[in-house]
Amino acid sequence: MEKIRTAIGLMSGTSMDGIDVALLRTDGADMVGRGPARGFAYDPAFRRRLQAALESAKAITRRDDRPGDLAALERELTLRHAEAVSAFLSENGLAAGDIDVVGFHGQTVLHRPDQRLTVQIGDGALLSRQTGIAVVYDMRANDMAHGGQGAPLIPVYHAALARNLAAVCAFPVVFVNIGGISNLTYVGPDGEIAAFDSGPGNTLIDQWVEVQAGIPFDQGGMIASEGRVLAALAARYLDHPFFAAPERRSLDRNDFSPPTGPDASLEDGARTLAHVTAAAILKSAGHLPQMPKTYIVCGGGRLNRVIMGDLEELAAAQGAQVMPAEAVDLNGDSMEAEAWAYLAVRSLDGLPLTFPGTTGVGTAITGGVLAVPD
């Protein structure tokens, strides 16, 4: 039996809206005890710096390159994560000594799987010094070094959760994470795992409403609910070669571009992109071993009622049901952060983080770099 550890997971996703923190007690295998979780929002100025960093990162050719402002930004991002950990511990009556390990994702600024290049800024050694806790970070690189796509990493955690859902869900079950990019984790009746990115999630909608209306996202789908689906614009995205390609690959935020002003009104653009998000999930699900019976939705996109409405309608046409994570007593906001805690524990024990059916790596492989306090 593996040792049970108390871990904190930290996630800053492609939406770049803040840091999710979650506590987990786990053996990195079947035992998963979910604890408190909280999100810490970035202020608008820092979010703009992160967005600008995506442009600077395009000049990166080696994983340790930090052109422009990236080195300073990496330090500030790390310190903000340290502050989030400190606040989280204080709020929950915990001390650094109560935590065995922190799983630190950092912020992805470049992901080019075809070039075996992925960059998540975040200084694990600095975070360990600041928090006084061991930190596992840089968990994607070893997968890429062994021929994988470097993403998605969360499926092994989804599979652990699914083992407790047999009484309430029809299998196959698919976990759908709608963040900036959407991804799917398939768990078959026999425990088979398959996973891949399914297409744009919130990122196109966020970019569209920010440029057109100066707001960071379409809260609850309010803007989209006033628009209509523009078939030609939707087809422009859904006819992308990504969806038909036999080989699944992980996506970078820049693989799909938002519409331009002449393409649509604010409302019609938001409505069309919400439809694209939902339709892309069902289109990509056609590459799974079997069509799902249940979709469990997590991530910020589950709060957009237009996306969820379209997803429910499209899935129902295939005999499947859609439910938010909360319907099966899971936390749709903190699941990725929980997963990073789970992965950190697996890394400490040398257990695989990625598998041929998730990232395309040649064989199941572990990963991560361990930093300990000085």
Side-chain angles (χ1 to χ4, degrees):
M1 180 178 176
E2 301 290 348
K3 178 181 177 181
I4 295 174
R5 293 183 173 90
T6 301
I8 283 177
L10 302 174
M11 183 67 197
S12 178
T14 50
S15 295
M16 298 183 294
D17 51 1
I19 303 165
D20 291 325
V21 186
L23 185 77
L24 205 69
R25 280 186 53 76
T26 182
D27 60 357
D30 294 331
M31 188 274 172
V32 175
R34 296 167 44 245
R38 186 189 156 184
F40 294 83
Y42 291 139
D43 58 87
F46 187 70
R47 188 167 182 265
R48 286 193 292 271
R49 285 183 65 196
L50 286 176
Q51 290 171 328
L54 299 178
E55 288 301 312
S56 301
K58 290 178 181 178
I60 292 175
T61 58
R62 298 180 308 172
R63 295 192 62 252
D64 56 355
D65 288 347
R66 296 294 184 267
D69 185 39
L70 275 182
L73 185 64
E74 181 169 47
R75 178 176 174 82
E76 184 171 343
L77 178 94
T78 305
L79 293 176
R80 283 175 180 253
H81 278 72
E83 290 167 3
V85 170
S86 176
F88 180 81
L89 292 174
S90 177
E91 290 171 5
N92 290 286
L94 296 167
D98 297 322
I99 309 300
D100 294 302
V101 66
V102 170
F104 180 31
H105 178 268
Q107 180 69 53
T108 298
V109 293
L110 186 74
H111 187 69
R112 293 178 179 163
D114 296 340
Q115 300 174 23
R116 302 289 175 221
L117 181 62
T118 187
V119 179
Q120 288 74 44
I121 58 171
D123 185 335
L126 175 60
L127 182 64
S128 182
R129 291 195 299 272
Q130 292 292 121
T131 60
I133 307 170
V135 172
V136 174
Y137 65 105
D138 201 16
M139 289 190 237
R140 299 188 187 275
N142 197 44
D143 177 80
M144 274 196 166
H146 288 81
Q149 291 273 310
L153 264 67
I154 296 178
V156 68
Y157 181 59
H158 286 154
L161 294 177
R163 286 192 278 274
N164 297 313
L165 297 177
V168 294
C169 293
F171 278 66
V173 169
V174 166
F175 286 83
V176 182
N177 179 55
I178 308 178
I181 300 295
S182 293
N183 51 67
L184 311 179
T185 298
Y186 167 96
V187 184
D190 58 354
E192 178 187 4
I193 305 174
F196 43 75
D197 287 352
S198 59
N202 300 315
T203 187
L204 292 179
I205 304 170
D206 293 350
Q207 290 172 310
W208 172 253
V209 300
E210 186 149 32
V211 169
Q212 300 299 318
I215 55 178
F217 62 97
D218 181 11
Q219 185 169 7
M222 291 177 63
I223 298 171
S225 70
E226 300 293 325
R228 62 190 178 92
V229 176
L230 303 178
L233 180 58
R236 185 194 308 177
Y237 291 100
L238 296 171
D239 290 342
H240 191 286
F242 167 80
F243 296 108
E247 294 294 324
R248 299 290 82 207
R249 71 176 184 86
S250 56
L251 292 168
D252 181 76
R253 177 187 170 95
N254 297 311
D255 284 331
F256 291 86
S257 299
T260 58
D263 288 329
S265 67
L266 169 65
E267 295 81 4
D268 289 352
R271 178 66 185 88
T272 302
L273 294 172
H275 175 74
V276 167
T277 296
I281 290 165
L282 270 293
K283 197 161 189 177
S284 288
H287 294 277
L288 294 169
Q290 298 179 46
M291 288 305 293
K293 296 286 183 62
T294 305
Y295 292 89
I296 297 172
V297 188
C298 55
R302 81 192 190 290
L303 304 177
N304 183 314
R305 64 181 184 274
V306 178
I307 294 175
M308 289 295 284
D310 280 5
L311 187 57
E312 288 167 5
E313 181 178 338
L314 292 168
Q318 298 183 355
Q321 63 173 337
V322 173
M323 58 182 72
E326 288 71 17
V328 289
D329 199 30
L330 298 174
N331 187 327
D333 287 326
S334 66
M335 197 178 294
E336 281 195 285
E338 292 169 16
W340 238 252
Y342 183 79
L343 291 167
V345 171
R346 288 183 70 85
S347 178
L348 288 179
D349 289 332
L351 297 171
L353 308 188
T354 57
F355 305 82
T358 62
T359 66
V361 69
T363 187
I365 194 163
T366 191
V369 177
L370 176 63
V372 296
D374 293 339

